Amino acid sequence: MIYMEVVTVYEGYSNGTAATVSSVLVTNLKTGFRLEEKVEDLTASLGMKYDQIAYKNANPEWDHEIILGSSSVHRQKVLAEMGYDFTIMTADIDEKSIRRNTPEEMVMAIAEAKAEAIIAKLPIDYCKQDAEPPLLITGDQVVVYEGKVREKPSSKEEARQFIKGYSSGTAGTVSSVLVTNLKTGLRKGDWEKAEIHFHAIPDQVVDDLIQEKMVLNVAGALISEHPLLLPYVKQLVGTTESMMGLPKALTERLILEAH
């Protein structure tokens, strides 16, 4: 079921600006999951402006066990916001040993490798016969800057180089999500892109980000939602949770397809 409401406002024709304010509510009638988005599109601006998206899991009867195969606090935050209870396991693989021809192929291959590594850690009788099938969620993210893939920085110096490069520039992310049904073996995966444009980032902000060390643990040393960096975000093309490595709408779709 999809409900959409659009309101268009004009203030004069000769030198005026046309604007549309749209709201979209999508409800999954099987799980009760709801996705609501409001988009304000100003024709005089450089692009769309998105407000926060509200997600509600309206079905308290959801009883599939979920394992999130990630140590990322950002992915954990996103999945919790979606209303799911989950446990955490890590794959502990050498991600840099997995190379592919494109960023999209690489993040999917790493998500597959993470799933295989975590499944190997589970006991043989992990899936109970009379229970709903447990689901495993794995994923990966890379930053693409000037056509080159950036993974987690190997040092503070590389992180500094990464962040300074974003100043007055543009960075993109490619995030993969893979959902594995641990009872049937069925897997559903896909990827999503986002793009972020920056104003000039002061050197002091770069230094403060490096000092916190959190940027050393994320792809491209990029945390666009970080309070220190957020004031210098010029435009986000995509969603915040996609930049965080776990696109909500994509993840929900794959959960439904895999279970």
Side-chain angles (χ1 to χ4, degrees), residues 7-248:
V7 179
T8 303
V9 180
Y10 278 89
E11 292 184 356
Y13 285 95
S14 59
N15 295 313
T17 298
T20 61
V21 180
S22 308
S23 65
V24 181
L25 175 65
V26 181
T27 301
N28 186 301
L29 298 179
K30 185 174 183 179
T31 67
F33 175 82
R34 292 180 180 179
L35 167 61
E36 182 177 3
E37 180 172 341
K38 295 180 181 179
V39 180
E40 180 182 6
D41 181 8
L42 301 178
T43 58
S45 69
L46 294 176
M48 288 187 176
K49 293 170 60 180
Y50 295 86
D51 73 348
Q52 291 186 343
I53 301 174
Y55 293 82
K56 300 176 183 178
N57 188 338
N59 184 3
E61 302 302 322
W62 175 268
D63 55 0
H64 293 261
E65 180 182 355
I66 291 180
I67 299 174
L68 177 61
S70 175
S71 60
S72 166
V73 294
H74 304 291
R75 290 190 181 94
Q76 294 166 23
K77 179 177 183 293
V78 172
L79 192 57
E81 287 176 353
M82 293 174 66
Y84 290 108
D85 294 327
F86 56 91
T87 57
I88 299 168
M89 291 186 67
T90 57
D92 304 319
I93 63 172
D94 180 10
E95 298 180 19
K96 293 191 176 182
S97 68
I98 302 173
R99 305 290 90 176
R100 293 294 186 272
N101 293 328
T102 67
E104 296 82 4
E105 292 174 346
M106 189 168 76
V107 293
M108 288 304 304
I110 293 175
E112 290 272 2
K114 288 179 179 179
E116 292 293 341
I118 291 173
I119 290 171
K121 296 180 180 181
L122 297 173
I124 297 176
D125 58 348
Y126 179 76
C127 297
K128 299 178 181 178
Q129 293 296 326
D130 57 347
E132 294 288 351
L135 304 177
L136 168 63
I137 301 175
T138 54
D140 189 57
Q141 183 185 68
V142 295
V143 171
V144 180
Y145 177 73
E146 295 184 345
K148 296 182 179 180
V149 170
R150 288 181 169 181
E151 297 177 88
K152 295 176 183 177
S154 58
S155 64
K156 290 183 178 180
E157 290 70 26
E158 187 172 45
R160 187 184 308 277
Q161 176 189 350
F162 283 175
I163 300 172
K164 287 179 70 69
Y166 303 139
S167 183
S168 300
T170 300
T173 60
V174 182
S175 303
S176 65
V177 180
L178 178 70
V179 180
T180 302
N181 185 313
L182 295 175
K183 180 177 284 188
T184 67
L186 177 65
R187 289 184 178 177
K188 294 292 182 177
D190 209 342
W191 51 266
E192 182 174 299
K193 291 183 178 181
E195 189 175 83
I196 188 166
H197 302 261
F198 287 99
H199 296 290
I201 304 172
D203 289 342
Q204 185 60 54
V205 171
V206 178
D207 292 341
D208 291 343
L209 287 167
I210 299 298
Q211 189 67 28
E212 285 192 6
K213 298 182 180 180
M214 188 180 298
V215 294
L216 301 177
N217 299 316
V218 296
L222 179 60
I223 307 178
S224 61
E225 71 279 6
H226 194 290
L228 289 175
L229 195 57
L230 193 58
Y232 305 99
V233 173
K234 183 178 182 180
Q235 182 186 12
L236 173 62
V237 182
T239 63
T240 300
E241 69 270 8
S242 184
M243 296 294 298
M244 295 170 70
L246 193 68
K248 287 182 178 178

